[in-house]
Amino acid sequence: SIGKYAFRGCTGLTSITIPNSVTSIEWNAFEGCTGLTSIEIPNSVTSIGSSAFYNCTGLTAVVIPNSVTSIGLSGFEGCSNVETLYIGSSIESIGSKAFAGCEKITEIKVALEIPIRGSDANIFASAVYNNATLYVPNGTKSLYEKQEPWNNFNIVEMDFTGIDEIAEQRAESKNVYYDLSGRVVEN
């Protein structure tokens, strides 16, 4: 784990890649890292502690990978420049004020097939409910419309497979085939 207060107040820290061996980011681990503009949370992480990224004002996007099951109280509170947020498909709990003070969020993608009930309506800043679009998996909009705090958003369904389109590409002398990851398949 990345322990309590591990990088607290490291204002000169601009980016960090967390190793795949880390499974938890404890509370206040990156609190006040105002210069942090980029963070890569690996799929090994299952929990993000309370105030883990509190006041990381340099962040503009937050991606919570599919492995994360919990975000603690005020986990990303005060990350005032975050504009986009992705919440993976395994989240089971989001603490109160997890994204409070993140008024610039305009796009939230939640990959959950069945929405969880938020701890309270204060998960997000009130301005976010009016300004952000919530993207949910195809066929789940009616479920999100019945569940707080998600029902406070403009909700749009989308495909979460990551495939935007399938297009034919002609090769000069032979057919070329690709797998779902975009790699050329020889056989």
Side-chain angles (χ1 to χ4, degrees):
S1 70
I2 295 178
K4 302 169 191 161
Y5 306 109
F7 295 93
R8 183 181 187 197
C10 291
T11 57
L13 184 64
T14 58
S15 70
I16 188 164
T17 300
I18 298 171
N20 286 327
S21 58
V22 173
T23 59
S24 68
I25 300 170
E26 295 193 23
W27 42 280
N28 300 87
F30 293 92
E31 178 187 349
C33 293
T34 56
L36 189 63
T37 59
S38 171
I39 186 149
E40 189 173 321
I41 301 172
N43 279 324
S44 59
V45 173
T46 59
S47 66
I48 297 173
S50 297
S51 301
F53 295 94
Y54 183 83
N55 272 350
C56 291
T57 56
L59 291 175
T60 58
V62 172
V63 176
I64 309 296
N66 291 333
S67 58
V68 173
T69 60
S70 65
I71 301 170
L73 170 76
S74 300
F76 292 87
E77 183 177 356
C79 296
S80 57
N81 287 305
V82 171
E83 296 174 1
T84 61
L85 171 62
Y86 173 87
I87 299 174
S89 60
S90 298
I91 201 78
E92 296 172 2
S93 66
I94 301 174
S96 179
K97 298 184 180 181
F99 299 97
C102 302
E103 290 91 2
K104 291 185 181 178
I105 295 176
T106 58
E107 178 180 282
I108 301 170
K109 294 180 180 177
V110 180
L112 286 169
E113 293 289 331
I114 299 173
I116 61 165
R117 178 171 172 75
S119 60
D120 60 38
N122 292 327
I123 289 174
F124 298 97
S126 58
V128 174
Y129 293 116
N130 298 323
N131 299 327
T133 301
L134 175 66
Y135 294 91
V136 299
N138 285 336
T140 64
K141 181 177 179 179
S142 63
L143 296 174
Y144 279 86
E145 289 174 332
K146 297 173 188 171
Q147 190 65 264
E148 286 201 26
W150 316 112
N151 59 352
N152 294 306
F153 289 102
N154 173 36
I155 302 171
V156 175
E157 291 183 338
M158 69 172 279
D159 182 6
F160 274 80
T161 63
I163 300 172
D164 293 328
E165 68 178 273
I166 299 174
E168 181 180 10
Q169 181 178 352
R170 298 268 180 192
E172 289 181 21
S173 61
K174 66 174 188 169
N175 289 333
V176 179
Y177 299 96
Y178 298 89
D179 66 13
L180 290 176
S181 297
R183 299 176 295 233
V184 175
V185 177
E186 296 296 327
N187 298 324

